Amino acid sequence: QPRKKTPSPATPPSELEVLIRARYPLIYVVSWEEQRVRQEVTRIASKLGKGVFEWSVNPGLIPAGSSLQKQKQRDAGTQDPLMALDKVVEHVEPALYLLKDFHPYVPVPQIRRKLRDLADRLVKSGKTIVIVAPRLVLPSELEKQVTVIDVPLPSRDELDEHLRALLKKVDPKTVKLDKRERDELIRCAQGMTLHELEQTLALAVVKKAGVDRHAIDLVLREKEQIVRKSTVLECVRWDTGFESVGGLDRLKAFLTSRREAFSAEARAFGLPPPRGLCLIGVQGCGKSLSAKAVASFYRLPLLRFDVGRAFAGIVGRSEQNVRSALALAESIAPCVLWIDELEKSLSGAHSSSVSDAGTTARVISTITTWLQERSGEGVYVVATANSIAHLPPELLRKGRFDEIFFVDLPVTGERSEILAIHLLKRDRTPADFDLSAVAAATQGFSGAELEEVVIAGLYEAFADRRPLNTEDLLGAARQTIPLSSTMRESVQQIRDWAQGRTRRASSAEE
């Protein structure tokens, strides 16, 4: 006898469908993807046997999917949001009403009151109002009547399915993606909307006459555009990796040991995804350069989180700015989130209740809670700080980061390595110089100061119109007073604090 086919499990209803079937009267959907929400509302209405109407300020209230010709016969009076709500009451049959960009009108007293009055009547009539808007605007008077849901960005499976559908519309001869490139394209597209993916592939077809590995670069550029619209996040391009960082052998070994920890194989092994690093140390010793090198090492986009910008603008928006930035980073994931000079942005937490009505304390709480509660999937955090005196202790507690490294002044061998790197960057051969002599003469110099020694030597050589030599470097070193001398007490305080509290980024010692 033929085997009976096992029926495939039914797709579970979406959160929006569950709420509509439960007769929730007012639903507020926070999403940029208006078209995607509209398709979902139409699907639910068809499933439940209900009509669908949509409203926007231009056509007013019209049946969903109306052609442009039918929209010309619209009821002009319903362009007014109050009259549109009256029309909802007049309709007899159960239906779903999608109100697009309705959020500017919600705080208006008449609209607010009307929505409150409608709540009970809609439940009994089988009607549901769905407001879709890119941001939440909800007066306290409506908090009990309105149910708010967020539509997450498309999942990896949804992006994969949409990509398959899009590639079917393209000439198969112009699609030149192997399986690995296709998987990388989908991974890079995470954090984009379906419409943005569609636009990017259309751009690839126009520019490259097809879809090949260059589409991955276009996707990354599109993600840079997404970040560029943020006032708090900045997309930083990395050109080189750890080959441009001298010393720090323990830090490099630590990162190498966790390179494969981002894979699905690591998840199956029971490993949690890596969370990130905190780099503390003397100014100019390579913390920022290391943050860029981490992104290059893991081949991930690098987002710089400027916490200071979160405090700019309208009073009371700082916490919202931080939450929006962190949510954007999660949507862009996988990525490296670089929180630079953390101590400058978050100093004064203890006096926050007096100086800024508690804003700094709330921002710190938002960041620390996110660092602790996030799953770690996709966003690898690298925080850098020069001074720890004013950092809140809760930021440095184990669990926020995988490890806290102390980046100290380079020792003799590391100084030689750093000098060689900067000479190579300027097309000079390190073997032509006595770098051990220069390294011995630059005790207490940071990596940034060693670079300036090379630059100052080049100026001297250029002025005399001759090749750079060792004496130029030694002369520049003798004329430079390093920060470790001018700020001896502060630097020593940082080094003393790091003893026993952090892990050294370098194993070398003088």
Side-chain angles (χ1 to χ4, degrees):
Q1 293 181 352
R3 290 183 179 180
K4 293 182 179 179
K5 291 185 178 180
T6 304
S8 57
T11 304
S14 63
E15 184 180 5
L16 181 59
E17 181 180 343
V18 170
L19 294 175
I20 290 174
R21 290 172 63 179
R23 295 202 171 191
Y24 276 63
L26 303 173
I27 303 173
Y28 198 128
V29 179
V30 183
S31 174
W32 286 97
E33 297 186 275
E34 204 173 75
Q35 184 65 20
R36 188 171 163 216
V37 175
R38 179 178 173 274
Q39 290 174 351
E40 177 65 6
V41 169
T42 304
R43 182 193 69 80
I44 295 169
S46 175
K47 186 175 180 179
L48 300 180
K50 294 186 177 183
V52 187
F53 294 84
E54 56 184 278
W55 178 93
S56 65
V57 71
N58 290 327
L61 191 65
I62 58 173
S66 297
S67 64
L68 291 175
Q69 189 64 32
K70 288 185 177 179
Q71 288 185 26
K72 292 179 182 179
Q73 304 169 3
R74 61 183 180 266
D75 184 354
T78 60
Q79 289 177 310
D80 179 89
L82 197 59
M83 293 190 67
L85 293 178
D86 287 334
K87 204 72 173 179
V88 171
V89 177
E90 293 176 15
H91 285 177
V92 177
E93 297 296 326
L96 307 183
Y97 299 87
L98 183 66
L99 310 184
K100 298 184 288 189
D101 284 339
F102 201 75
H103 56 290
Y105 308 102
V106 174
V108 176
Q110 296 90 333
I111 302 293
R112 189 173 63 213
R113 183 68 253 179
K114 189 71 175 178
L115 288 171
R116 294 189 68 185
D117 293 339
L118 275 174
D120 291 334
R121 300 180 67 175
L122 291 176
V123 172
K124 299 172 184 177
S125 63
K127 302 173 189 175
T128 303
I129 289 178
V130 179
I131 299 172
V132 57
R135 62 188 180 92
L136 179 63
V137 179
L138 190 64
S140 57
E141 293 90 340
L142 287 170
E143 288 178 356
K144 296 297 183 182
Q145 284 83 15
V146 177
T147 302
V148 181
I149 63 174
D150 290 287
V151 174
L153 287 163
S155 65
R156 184 185 180 92
D157 291 339
E158 288 176 310
L159 289 169
D160 188 9
E161 184 181 347
H162 194 61
L163 178 62
R164 291 178 189 276
L166 292 174
L167 293 180
K168 286 180 180 179
K169 301 177 182 178
V170 181
D171 185 352
K173 296 179 181 178
T174 64
V175 179
K176 301 174 183 177
L177 287 173
D178 59 30
K179 185 180 185 303
R180 185 187 61 80
E181 290 170 340
R182 193 174 179 284
D183 289 342
E184 186 176 357
L185 175 61
I186 296 170
R187 180 177 69 85
C188 292
Q190 288 181 261
M192 299 175 68
T193 65
L194 298 179
H195 179 65
E196 287 168 337
L197 175 60
E198 192 168 342
Q199 281 187 316
T200 305
L201 289 182
L203 182 62
V205 171
V206 171
K207 294 185 71 172
K208 301 294 181 181
V211 181
D212 55 17
R213 62 183 183 84
H214 294 289
I216 299 171
D217 296 329
L218 293 176
V219 166
L220 291 174
R221 288 186 185 180
E222 180 62 31
K223 293 181 87 166
E224 285 183 16
Q225 288 289 333
I226 297 171
V227 175
R228 195 170 295 162
K229 297 167 189 174
S230 167
T231 58
V232 181
L233 290 181
E234 173 191 359
C235 201
V236 179
R237 291 197 176 186
W238 38 260
D239 300 319
T240 55
F242 275 113
E243 67 275 7
S244 297
V245 181
L248 309 184
D249 57 323
R250 286 180 176 171
L251 173 61
K252 294 174 183 177
F254 177 85
L255 292 168
T256 302
S257 68
R258 285 158 173 74
R259 190 167 196 169
E260 298 301 322
F262 291 94
S263 65
E265 184 182 357
R267 300 293 83 72
F269 191 74
L271 279 175
R275 302 178 70 84
L277 301 171
C278 183
L279 302 178
I280 296 174
V282 182
Q283 188 172 357
C285 286
K287 297 184 299 298
S288 297
L289 183 61
S290 296
K292 297 176 184 178
V294 168
S296 173
F297 184 74
Y298 287 137
R299 308 296 298 175
L300 294 173
L302 177 62
L303 307 182
R304 182 174 177 270
F305 182 18
D306 190 340
V307 183
R309 287 189 191 177
F311 291 93
I314 302 172
V315 176
R317 288 291 299 275
S318 300
E319 303 96 304
Q320 181 59 43
N321 289 340
V322 170
R323 282 193 292 268
S324 298
L326 296 177
L328 179 58
E330 288 182 329
S331 71
I332 295 295
C335 66
V336 173
L337 181 65
W338 172 24
I339 308 177
D340 193 23
E341 296 187 338
L342 195 60
E343 80 285 1
K344 292 183 180 179
S345 303
L346 300 181
S347 61
H350 299 296
S351 60
S352 176
S353 59
V354 176
S355 60
D356 61 5
T359 298
T360 301
R362 290 194 298 273
V363 167
I364 292 174
S365 177
T366 300
I367 294 175
T368 53
T369 301
W370 179 80
L371 286 172
Q372 183 65 36
E373 299 299 328
R374 69 195 175 95
S375 64
E377 192 72 52
V379 182
Y380 190 86
V381 179
V382 179
T384 61
N386 297 320
S387 172
I388 42 73
H390 301 293
L391 275 179
E394 60 266 27
L395 268 177
L396 303 178
R397 184 171 63 78
K398 274 284 188 178
R400 314 290 190 197
F401 303 97
D402 294 328
E403 193 57 85
I404 301 174
F405 279 96
F406 177 69
V407 183
D408 204 350
L409 293 167
V411 299
T412 304
E414 292 175 325
R415 291 197 295 273
S416 295
E417 186 180 346
I418 293 169
L419 287 165
I421 289 170
H422 289 300
L423 287 169
L424 281 170
K425 284 174 64 176
R426 291 160 180 85
D427 298 323
R428 301 303 194 278
T429 304
D432 295 340
F433 302 85
D434 186 358
L435 295 185
S436 59
V438 181
T442 52
Q443 186 171 4
F445 280 53
S446 67
E449 289 163 342
L450 291 171
E451 182 180 14
E452 288 304 313
V453 165
V454 174
I455 293 173
L458 284 168
Y459 271 116
E460 289 296 324
F462 180 75
D464 295 339
R465 296 297 191 274
R466 56 175 175 75
L468 179 69
N469 58 43
T470 301
E471 190 54 43
D472 293 322
L473 301 179
L474 290 171
R478 285 192 291 268
Q479 295 174 15
T480 302
I481 301 175
L483 183 69
S484 61
S485 295
T486 56
M487 301 286 290
R488 188 185 309 275
E489 293 78 10
S490 298
V491 171
Q492 192 58 46
Q493 183 183 6
I494 297 172
R495 300 176 79 179
D496 291 342
W497 178 90
Q499 293 293 328
R501 290 185 173 94
T502 61
R503 186 170 173 178
R504 287 180 57 85
S506 174
S507 61
E509 295 184 5
E510 290 283 11

